[in-house]
Amino acid sequence: MPHAEILLYPTFNSLQTLAHRLLLPYHDMRVVSLTGRPWSEFDRALIERVSKIGVLTDREHSPQAIARRMLAYGYSQYIMSVGEHLGNPDQEKITTLSLLEATEVEFAQPNCLILHAKPDDMKLARNSHSARFGIPDDQFALLHGREKMITKMPIRLLTLQALDLPRRQVLWDIGFCTGSISIEARLQFPHLHIEAFEIRPEGRELMHVNSQRFGAPGIGVHIGDFLDADISELPRPDAVFIGGHGGRLKAIIGRVLTILSEGGCIVMNSVSAQSRQLWQVACDDFGLQQEAPMRIALNDYNPITILKVVKHENSHHTD
């Protein structure tokens, strides 16, 4: 209707209205919509310790569900203010309460909420163990208590560097075991979408315990053989870490190459001559050009070689 006259009637949106009711400045508020959307951007705001978060809700992502998720991952420093039926003079209601109290309340729809924390509380949160650069190994729950079944912290951080995660969007962690790589990546680079795979069923509980312990929500967990996993609906990775391969490294790399984005990378830490040989065979057969390996000796542990390839047009593969 190119000839129609357009009249605009500006007004406040729901979160602005709620902030006005609370006499709360909102110039520094990060707005996150959970209305028909996944948790990813909300989780990112928590991990980044945003002090004021405005949230648009729906029936699944209700104030009650939000409070439960926050407490499960240790983000207890916030106060929640909920606005129900904003703008309706007969039904509008504003409630401010603790997260624990919010887990027990069912709020009327439609509603929205603002999470806000005191500066001192946020300072303590930013100094917590899960907000540091590098999580100590002994703080992870381990597979059957076996400390060798975890990527040691210095190696872990070098691995994240090799994966070039500041420039990546989707990370796949194949053979996650304790989940240390996925969790460290989630905390250091909260913009990432992370999918983690582990063949051992114990991995599910380990990832659950460790991700909650360190405040790392939003990691997709897939239990079973990676070669049999349904990956058709998953976002395409542009970074892949192979933490375990069960002697079938070539098959795993071949499957990864069918979905890895152009310019994406694959990184593996080799602890034996056998795994290094398997890597070399796969690279030769798929026409992958390796970057210079990095060999690291840590304390009394065997030396580890960090291996990396980047997918280019001349790489060939079969699923």
Side-chain angles (χ1 to χ4, degrees):
M1 296 180 286
H3 302 295
E5 181 182 0
I6 299 175
L7 300 179
L8 300 178
Y9 298 91
T11 187
F12 298 112
N13 65 40
S14 59
L15 286 171
Q16 290 172 326
T17 300
L18 177 57
H20 281 294
R21 300 287 193 271
L22 297 168
L23 303 181
L24 188 70
Y26 55 81
H27 66 281
D28 56 348
M29 179 172 68
R30 183 181 298 186
V31 175
V32 174
S33 176
L34 290 175
T35 307
R37 291 174 169 84
W39 290 102
S40 53
E41 287 303 310
F42 178 74
D43 292 341
R44 177 178 180 176
L46 293 180
I47 294 170
E48 292 179 347
R49 268 71 180 181
V50 176
S51 60
K52 192 182 298 177
I53 310 171
V55 186
L56 301 172
T57 66
D58 63 16
R59 294 188 183 279
E60 179 183 353
H61 305 91
S62 64
Q64 187 180 60
I66 290 168
R68 288 175 177 171
R69 185 177 184 85
M70 294 176 69
L71 290 176
Y73 286 95
Y75 293 95
S76 58
Q77 67 270 25
Y78 290 88
I79 297 297
M80 179 182 288
S81 296
V82 182
E84 303 167 79
H85 293 292
L86 291 172
N88 185 325
D90 298 323
Q91 295 181 288
E92 181 175 296
K93 182 180 179 182
I94 312 294
T95 308
T96 297
L97 66 177
S98 70
L99 295 180
L100 186 60
E101 292 170 330
T103 63
E104 303 298 329
V105 180
E106 292 190 12
F107 295 91
Q109 290 281 348
N111 62 61
C112 63
L113 61 90
I114 296 176
L115 298 162
H116 42 106
K118 297 178 181 178
D120 289 344
D121 292 338
M122 292 308 297
K123 183 177 180 181
L124 289 173
R126 291 188 180 100
N127 290 331
S128 68
H129 62 272
S130 61
R132 298 173 188 166
F133 185 66
I135 304 171
D137 301 330
D138 60 5
Q139 293 185 8
F140 282 93
L142 302 174
L143 180 66
H144 308 308
R146 295 158 64 185
E147 63 177 32
K148 291 186 178 181
M149 297 292 286
I150 184 175
T151 304
K152 300 298 183 290
M153 193 227 307
I155 305 299
R156 192 185 318 138
L157 297 180
L158 286 171
T159 300
L160 300 188
Q161 183 275 331
L163 288 162
D164 196 16
L165 295 182
R167 296 196 307 114
R168 308 297 180 180
Q169 297 299 316
V170 180
L171 168 67
W172 284 13
D173 180 4
I174 301 173
F176 66 75
C177 193
T178 61
S180 64
I181 289 288
S182 289
I183 290 169
E184 195 82 70
R186 186 76 176 122
L187 294 177
Q188 301 302 332
F189 307 99
H191 71 280
L192 283 174
H193 183 113
I194 302 177
E195 300 291 342
F197 304 82
E198 173 57 50
I199 196 169
R200 288 172 286 223
E202 304 98 313
R204 186 184 302 278
E205 180 63 18
L206 273 177
M207 181 66 85
H208 176 73
V209 169
N210 285 324
S211 61
Q212 289 197 342
R213 179 176 296 181
F214 300 112
I219 299 171
V221 176
H222 310 272
I223 299 299
D225 192 334
F226 172 74
L227 295 175
D228 297 328
D230 181 6
I231 58 176
S232 60
E233 300 298 323
L234 299 180
R236 294 183 64 183
D238 52 7
V240 174
F241 174 69
I242 300 178
H245 54 80
R248 298 180 295 169
L249 182 58
K250 180 180 176 181
I252 291 173
I253 291 177
R255 191 169 201 212
V256 166
L257 289 173
T258 65
I259 198 168
L260 184 67
S261 299
E262 194 72 23
C265 68
I266 304 173
V267 172
M268 186 184 83
N269 296 337
S270 172
V271 296
S272 68
Q274 181 184 15
S275 63
R276 181 71 184 270
Q277 178 62 26
L278 291 173
W279 173 270
Q280 186 64 53
V281 169
C283 290
D284 291 342
D285 289 352
F286 293 126
L288 299 171
Q289 184 175 356
Q290 301 185 54
E291 294 195 358
M294 185 185 306
R295 186 174 171 83
I296 306 294
L298 182 65
N299 299 333
D300 296 329
Y301 296 100
N302 292 330
I304 292 175
T305 304
I306 300 178
L307 305 167
K308 178 179 179 179
V309 294
V310 176
K311 180 181 178 182
H312 299 296
E313 291 183 5
N314 59 347
S315 304
H316 54 276
H317 54 83
T318 57
D319 190 3

